[in-house]
Amino acid sequence: MQKITRRTMLAASAAFTVAPALALAQSSKNMTLVVPFPPGGSTDALARLLQSHLQTRLGRTVLVENKSGAAGSLGAAQVAKSPPDGSSFLVTFDSHAVIPAILEKPQVDVEQDLVPVFLVGTAPYVIAANASRPFKTFADIIAASKAKPGSVQYASVGIGTLGHLAMTLLAKKAGVEITHVPYRGGGPAMNDVLGGHVDLIAGSAALVTAQLGPNLRPILQLGRERLPVLKDTQTAIEAGFPDFETLAWWGIFAPKGTPPDVIASMAKSVREILSEPAVASQLRETQQMTLVLADAKDFGTFFAKQVSIWGQVVRENNIKA
């Protein structure tokens, strides 16, 4: 029988520590990062950023597959039905938390069929106006809406998205009616606002700040603190809506039943990739993202809160996809 010494105990401990890091690399199967939205959006950009780095780190082929439709539930359902062996992960966006409330018969139970792996980061939503409109503050929008209910229109990237839900909640708190004009994505929504066809847009900071200029004016940001690029724009809290916050977020999920060491391995790999200064800087600059880098447990707590908050808004306002 081998004698147990302090050296053998330390060796065993070290082996246990590195095991999660090897869990993904030891698989001979390709890894697929499923994005439940069309190519070109922020989630797709994040997945493709991770793809190249994961492929190099793990020494295995990593693919990105765009599976859009049904408010992101088609891609989520595909991952949920995949083998729980580290070969398939969902890289998704904040609207994932709204699926249970917005769809009558979703193809996936996002709280039971998938498990949180990693919360990448967050960014505030921003409300902006076509620069030809007279609105300089959200108080101006409220005044115009009270004078002529429904006359002010805003674009969002779709029914049940957080931009839509945040504006619904703000209008309700302000006691006004603001007309929603939903689009299939940020590009079409922004084009119509820039073209003067719609007054306002409620979108992620990345979508809005990229277009600020002669044709687009920032009105209100929905984070707790002002972004450096929007240092002269009020937050909703400063505008008189206590504790009001709406954050875009990006996260990674795996099929239910995925072994803990595989989840830990993926989280470790993603954390190390996103902690590289060049990568972190890229996400901050292109997405106005605050990197959170939270592992499965903390992400699970955050996600459950998001499901509760926005599910309540959907139900109370009878919003349907």
Side-chain angles (χ1 to χ4, degrees), residues 228-242:
V229 295
L230 294 172
K231 57 182 174 53
D232 296 324
T233 302
Q234 274 190 322
T235 66
I237 295 171
E238 292 169 335
F241 297 90

Side-chain angles (χ1 to χ4, degrees), residues 169-311:
L169 198 52
L170 279 171
K172 191 172 184 178
K173 287 178 179 292
V176 298
E177 178 186 341
I178 306 176
T179 301
H180 180 217
V181 183
Y183 288 81
R184 291 182 178 272
M190 182 58 76
N191 286 340
D192 268 13
V193 174
L194 293 174
H197 304 296
V198 185
D199 303 310
L200 311 170
I201 187 167
S204 67
L207 174 64
V208 173
T209 57
Q211 298 296 334
L212 293 177
N215 296 318
L216 192 70
R217 177 191 303 125
I219 299 294
L220 194 71
Q221 51 185 314
L222 306 185
R224 290 188 175 276
E225 298 177 358
R226 298 188 184 191
L227 288 172
V229 295
L230 294 172
K231 57 182 174 53
D232 296 324
T233 302
Q234 274 190 322
T235 66
I237 295 171
E238 292 169 335
F241 297 90
D243 206 37
F244 193 97
E245 181 182 38
T246 304
L247 298 176
W249 57 263
W250 296 261
I252 301 171
F253 292 81
K256 179 183 178 180
T258 301
D261 64 334
V262 171
I263 291 174
S265 180
M266 183 64 167
K268 182 176 186 295
S269 296
V270 173
R271 177 187 293 278
E272 290 175 351
I273 290 168
L274 299 181
S275 295
E276 294 177 10
V279 176
S281 177
Q282 182 177 342
L283 289 175
R284 281 194 294 267
E285 292 174 7
T286 61
Q287 305 299 338
Q288 299 301 317
M289 189 186 296
T290 297
L291 293 175
V292 178
L293 309 184
D295 291 337
K297 184 179 179 181
D298 289 339
F299 183 21
T301 300
F302 173 89
F303 179 64
K305 186 176 181 180
Q306 291 290 299
V307 171
S308 175
I309 290 171
W310 297 114

